[in-house]
Amino acid sequence: MSTFSDQESHEPSATLWRDGRPVYDRGSTVCVIGAGASGLTAIKNLKEYGFGADCYERETGVGGAWNWRHDRSPVYASTHLISSKPLTEFPDFPMPDNWPDYPHHSQLLSYLERYADHFDLRPHIWFGTEVVRVEPADSDRWDVTTRSTGGYGAERTSRYAAVVVANGHNWAPKLPAYEGLDEFRGQVIHASAYKDATQLRGKRVLVVGAGNTGCDIAVEAGQQAAKCWHSTRRGYWYAPKYAFGRPADQVGDAGGAYRLPLRVRQWMFHQILKLTVGDLTRFGLPRPDHKVFETHPIVNSHLVHSIGHGSITPVPDVSRFRRNSVTLVDGQEVEPDLVVLATGYLPRFEFLAPEVLGIDASGRPALYLNAFPRRHPTLAVAGLLQPDSGLFTMVHWQTVAIARWLRLRENAPDRARAFTARVDAEAGTRWHSAKVKESTRHWFEIGHIDYLRALQRTLDELEVSA
Amino acid sequence: MKTRVVRVTDWTRPVPAVYREVRAATPEAPEGKPPLLFVPGFGHGAWVFAEHWLEHAASRAFPAHAVSLRGHGGSGPAPEATLRAYAHDVVQVAASLPRQAVLVGHGAGALVVAHALARYPARAGVLVAPVFGGWGTLGAALRRNPVGTLPAVFGGALRLNYRQLFSRELPDAAARDYASRLGRASSRAQWQLLRHRAPERAVGDPPLLVLGSPDDRVVPPAALTRTAGRYGAAPLLFPGMGHDMMLDARWREPIDAILDWLDKDLVR
C-alpha cells in the first residue's frame, strides 16, 4: 500500500491508494453497514456523539429484517412481535401507546421509517449499495469497498475511522442435511421463503422446527392446510402471550428484574406456565428436557390450542426423507406435499476476513458483549443478539456504548486501555445466567437483564461527554 | 447522574394510553426549523399556549405544538396520574412529531419536561418559570396564598390566585378570566411535586435555556437561579412579568427570546 497527497484535486479526493486502486478518505467518519433497526440506531447514536456516519444499505429502503419487501426479510404476512411494546421499543423513542401490546410487522416497519425521519438519518444512508470488502488499513482505520447491489457499476473504496457492522443475522438460512432429501419429490422450502398462508392452503404440510417461526407457521398450517404435522427435536416450554390478563413478558420481568436468583425465577416461571398452559404431555408433546431460560423462549398462545383442536399433529424429529414420504425418529412415516424447514439462520459476514471477528471453525465470532472484537478497537458489531425480550433496547444501548468507546479513545486514551484489556479477556463470554443449550440457535442468546446490567457497567466505564 | 438502562417500572407497568389534546400552529412557508412542543404546568392546558405563543412561533417559521397533560385541558381524565405519566405524555407527543422536537415546559410543566428529556433526545430544552418543587416551594406558596394552597396539602386542588400568575399590566378582567379556566393536577402528582426523584440526565445532551421573572409570585428568584444552576446556566430574566408569561401582557418578549436563542443555536 502506498499513499500520496493530492492537494490540487477538488473532487472528494482519492488521496490514498490500495493495491493500485484509489481510496477515498472519509476522515473521522464512521461506516455503518446496514440500515435495519441496528444500523439506524447506530447512525443516530453516533450522530449524537458528534460523529459523521455513512451507512450502506443493499436494499432501497430502511427497516432491514422488518421490511417485508427486502430479499432478506424473514417476516411473513402474519408476523407479530413476540415481546410486548415496552420490552421492544427504543428506550428514547417509544412506540405509540395506543398501539396493541404486540404490534404487527407492518407497524414495526412504519416505526423504523418514522425513527429514520424523526432523527434525520436518511441523508446518511447510501441505498442500493452493498459492502463487498472491509479491510484493515493504517492506524486502526478501515477500507470499505462498496458497489451497487447486484454487482452493477464499479467498486469504490473509502477509508473510515471506524466500522459498525449491522448486517443482521436472520437472513442466511441454516439448512440441515437430511438423508434422502435429494430424492424427495414433494416441495421443500426454508421458512425464509414462507410469506403467507396461501402457500399452505389445501396441502399436507410438515413444519420442522419449534422456534417462534416454526410455531407460527404450524399454527397457520393448522388453519389453512389439509393436514399439518409439527416436528420438534425436543420438548419446549411454550409461553403464552398473556398471563393474568397482562403481556406475559411484563409479568415475567416483574420478578426477573428484582435480582431474584435464577433458580427462584425458574421456579416462578414454571408455576406460571403450570397455571396458564398446563401439562403439555397430555397433548402428546414431549416433556421439556431443560428448564425455562435454557432455550430461546417460544411465545405462542395458539399452538397448544391448535393441537387441542386436532389441527396440528405434534411429531418427533425427522429421521430421513424418502421419495414420497418422511420417516420420523419414532419410525412413523408421514406423506407431506410441502415441508417447511423453520430451522433458523446462521450469521454471515462475507465482507470480513473470519479472523477479524475471531470466528472459530464452527462459524461463531468471539466478541465482548457480542459487539467488540479483540485487537480491532475501531470495529464493532451491532445487534448480534438473541435476547429473551425485544432487541431494540439492547442495540440502542450497545450503539451508545460503541459511540462512547470511539469518543473515549480520542479523549482519554488512558481510560481506554482498561477497556481494551477487558475486551481481550472477556470476548466470547456468555451473557446469560442460565446454562443455555449448546447450539447455533443459542450462540447469541442473552438474558436481557444480565446483558443490560453488563452494558450499564460498560456505559459507566466509558462515560464521556457527547 | 448516570444513564440508567434497566427500567423495570417502565417495562412491567407501562403508563396506560389516554386521549391527549394537542393544539398546533404551522408556518405558512416551512423553513426546516425544528418543531416546538410546549408543555403547560399543573392546572394549565394547551390553550394557554394557543392564546399567543403558538401562532407567534409559527409566524417565525417554527412548527408549534402544545399538549394538555392527561387530566388537563381537553385530554382524557386521569385522577391517579403521576409525574411519570405526565412525562410519558410529553415523550409520546414529541416522538409522534415528524422531526426531533424542542421541548418547552412552563411551571411544573418544566419539571415534567426535565423528566421527559431523560427519555427523549430533544433538539433543545427550554424551562420557563420552572417549578421544580420541594418543601421550599410549598413554604413560599403557603406564605403567599395560604387559602389556595392549604387544601392541596390534604389532597385537594391547588388554587392559584390571578395576582400570583399575572402582572398588574394585564387587565383584571383578562387575568380573572384566565385564572377561572385553570383546572388541577392529580393529588398524587401534586404530592410528587414536593417529594420526587431528581430528573435523570438529559439524553443526547441538548442545549438548555432557563427563563423566568424576578417578579414571579410562584417561583422565587432563588429557586429560579437554583434550577438554572442545575443546568450550568444563569436564567434569562424578564422583570415585571408574572408567572404565566405566555398569557401576561408582555407575552411577546419571552417567546421572542426563546425563538432568537433557537435561531442562533439550532437553526443552520
Side-chain angles (χ1 to χ4, degrees):
Chain A
M1 194 191 320
S2 62
T3 62
F4 77 94
S5 282
D6 179 6
Q7 302 294 337
E8 301 300 315
S9 173
H10 297 291
E11 283 292 312
S13 52
T15 54
L16 310 163
W17 294 83
R18 180 175 194 130
D19 306 330
R21 290 174 289 128
V23 175
Y24 296 90
D25 192 350
R26 298 291 290 135
S28 58
T29 306
V30 179
C31 172
V32 176
I33 301 173
S38 303
L40 292 175
T41 193
I43 308 170
K44 182 230 161 218
N45 288 320
L46 286 165
K47 267 180 76 171
E48 216 160 273
Y49 277 80
F51 291 99
D54 285 352
C55 173
Y56 296 111
E57 168 54 54
R58 66 189 300 282
E59 304 282 355
T60 52
V62 301
W66 290 101
N67 194 328
W68 61 272
R69 298 178 194 91
H70 292 179
D71 289 349
R72 293 177 171 183
S73 166
V75 305
Y76 32 89
S78 60
T79 307
H80 278 257
L81 284 184
I82 55 164
S83 51
S84 69
K85 268 184 311 174
L87 282 137
T88 307
E89 64 203 7
F90 291 115
D92 59 352
F93 190 74
M95 292 183 192
D97 59 8
N98 57 3
W99 275 11
D101 291 325
Y102 296 100
H104 185 245
H105 71 80
S106 57
Q107 289 174 302
L108 255 281
L109 176 59
S110 78
Y111 174 68
L112 294 174
E113 286 174 337
R114 232 160 28 78
Y115 183 86
D117 293 328
H118 193 85
F119 294 111
D120 203 18
L121 307 179
R122 288 185 204 263
H124 296 266
I125 306 170
W126 298 71
F127 289 106
T129 306
E130 64 185 359
V131 172
V132 184
R133 278 186 305 280
V134 175
E135 300 157 295
D138 294 340
S139 318
D140 290 330
R141 303 184 77 208
W142 296 89
D143 287 346
V144 177
T145 303
T146 56
R147 69 171 172 220
S148 67
T149 308
Y152 305 107
E155 291 185 355
R156 180 187 174 90
T157 305
S158 309
R159 185 159 297 178
Y160 288 97
V163 172
V164 178
V165 177
N167 65 332
H169 58 282
N170 284 328
W171 54 268
K174 180 182 136 194
L175 289 164
Y178 290 112
E179 194 185 336
L181 187 58
D182 293 344
E183 66 185 71
F184 181 63
R185 302 299 297 271
Q187 192 189 358
V188 180
I189 62 168
H190 184 266
S192 58
Y194 174 74
K195 288 298 159 195
D196 73 75
T198 53
Q199 291 167 268
L200 308 169
R201 205 158 288 158
K203 293 181 180 162
R204 296 159 61 80
V205 179
L206 170 65
V207 180
V208 180
N212 286 291
T213 302
C215 291
D216 281 356
I217 297 175
V219 167
E220 292 213 353
Q223 291 161 352
Q224 304 289 338
K227 172 81 190 165
C228 171
W229 297 277
H230 187 207
S231 161
T232 60
R233 207 176 342 173
R234 57 163 65 93
Y236 290 92
W237 298 98
Y238 297 96
K241 279 200 154 171
Y242 284 90
F244 314 115
R246 297 191 45 74
D249 56 356
Q250 295 178 20
V251 175
D253 253 37
Y258 291 111
R259 295 182 186 268
L260 294 175
L262 173 68
R263 278 170 189 280
V264 176
R265 283 191 287 135
Q266 285 176 321
W267 179 83
M268 278 172 54
F269 206 162
H270 284 155
Q271 299 311 308
I272 290 175
L273 289 180
K274 211 181 269 181
L275 284 168
T276 52
V277 185
D279 177 11
L280 292 180
T281 57
R282 245 202 95 239
F283 294 84
L285 289 165
R287 190 179 297 283
D289 59 356
H290 57 280
K291 293 180 179 167
V292 287
F293 307 135
E294 291 178 355
T295 53
H296 188 74
I298 298 163
V299 186
N300 194 310
S301 295
H302 297 311
L303 186 79
V304 177
H305 183 84
S306 297
I307 295 171
H309 281 197
S311 49
I312 296 177
T313 307
V315 293
D317 204 7
V318 170
S319 161
R320 63 158 296 159
F321 281 75
R322 298 184 186 280
R323 188 176 164 79
N324 293 309
S325 66
V326 178
T327 308
L328 306 169
V329 290
D330 64 351
Q332 207 184 144
E333 199 122 331
V334 296
E335 295 182 359
D337 310 312
L338 170 68
V339 178
V340 183
L341 298 173
T343 43
Y345 298 87
L346 284 171
R348 274 180 69 186
F349 307 96
E350 66 268 75
F351 45 78
L352 268 172
E355 62 272 15
V356 173
L357 294 179
I359 290 175
D360 63 17
S362 67
R364 184 184 174 193
L367 305 166
Y368 175 61
L369 286 172
N370 292 23
F372 299 96
R374 291 188 178 106
R375 289 181 287 283
H376 293 289
T378 51
L379 179 70
V381 183
L384 190 59
L385 301 166
Q386 289 287 349
D388 52 357
S389 70
L391 175 74
F392 299 174
T393 308
M394 321 288 125
V395 73
H396 165 82
W397 292 116
Q398 206 183 38
T399 53
V400 170
I402 292 167
R404 283 192 185 181
W405 161 242
L406 293 175
R407 210 27 101 212
L408 189 78
R409 283 186 81 241
E410 288 174 6
N411 296 358
D414 287 353
R415 279 170 60 205
R417 269 193 282 280
F419 183 71
T420 307
R422 190 200 304 262
V423 170
D424 217 32
E426 294 186 31
T429 305
R430 274 197 183 284
W431 300 100
H432 206 302
S433 48
K435 203 174 159 195
V436 292
K437 288 276 172 197
E438 271 306 331
S439 71
T440 55
R441 177 72 185 90
H442 298 108
W443 272 353
F444 312 116
E445 191 71 20
I446 54 156
H448 68 285
I449 293 174
D450 297 304
Y451 185 80
L452 281 177
R453 286 200 179 118
L455 209 46
Q456 173 83 70
R457 285 193 295 277
T458 300
L459 286 163
D460 294 345
E461 195 177 304
L462 300 176
E463 185 83 32
V464 62
S465 50
Chain B
M1 183 63 70
K2 290 187 170 154
T3 316
R4 195 164 52 86
V5 306
V6 177
R7 296 176 180 168
V8 184
T9 313
D10 291 338
W11 297 339
T12 58
R13 295 176 56 204
V15 175
V18 69
Y19 169 74
R20 280 179 287 266
E21 177 194 29
V22 178
R23 301 183 65 167
T26 45
E28 279 176 24
E31 292 175 16
K33 293 186 182 182
L36 311 181
L37 176 59
F38 292 98
V39 180
F42 286 6
H44 296 57
W47 65 269
V48 299
F49 294 109
E51 201 75 0
H52 307 296
W53 279 19
L54 291 188
E55 286 297 342
H56 188 71
S59 75
R60 289 190 52 181
F62 284 91
H65 305 77
V67 57
S68 292
L69 299 174
R70 58 187 62 209
H72 289 77
S75 289
E80 297 292 309
T82 56
L83 269 181
R84 180 168 81 102
Y86 291 155
H88 171 85
D89 287 339
V90 175
V91 174
Q92 281 281 315
V93 177
S96 75
L97 297 175
R99 300 285 297 277
Q100 218 171 345
V102 175
L103 304 186
V104 186
H106 168 259
L111 177 64
V112 174
V113 161
H115 282 285
L117 288 171
R119 290 283 174 275
Y120 169 78
R123 282 293 300 274
V126 181
L127 311 180
V128 184
V131 175
F132 266 46
W135 297 105
T137 307
L138 177 65
L142 280 170
R143 274 197 304 282
R144 287 210 170 106
N145 178 13
V147 178
T149 308
L150 208 57
V153 177
F154 301 99
L158 174 69
R159 295 191 189 287
L160 295 172
N161 94 38
Y162 71 96
R163 278 294 152 232
Q164 272 179 291
L165 298 175
F166 305 105
S167 72
R168 293 196 178 274
E169 285 179 57
L170 187 71
D172 261 20
R176 282 176 198 273
D177 177 45
Y178 287 146
S180 72
R181 291 166 71 181
L182 298 182
R184 59 163 300 188
S186 79
S187 313
R188 290 179 71 182
Q190 280 180 184
W191 268 108
Q192 283 181 314
L193 202 53
L194 297 180
R195 283 183 64 78
H196 61 87
R197 277 191 193 169
E200 289 174 39
R201 191 170 97 171
V203 288
D205 281 343
L208 268 151
L209 176 68
V210 179
L211 60 164
S213 164
D215 303 310
D216 187 330
R217 287 161 184 264
V218 175
V219 183
L224 186 64
T225 310
R226 198 164 50 243
T227 305
R230 284 174 61 102
Y231 297 101
L236 198 57
L237 296 176
F238 295 84
M241 291 195 77
H243 179 68
D244 279 1
M245 303 174 100
M246 62 282 180
L247 293 171
D248 212 342
R250 283 156 47 203
W251 59 264
R252 200 181 295 264
E253 291 173 30
I255 185 67
D256 270 333
I258 293 169
L259 300 178
D260 288 346
W261 177 73
L262 292 173
D263 270 332
K264 179 169 161 286
D265 278 20
L266 288 191
V267 181
R268 286 183 284 274

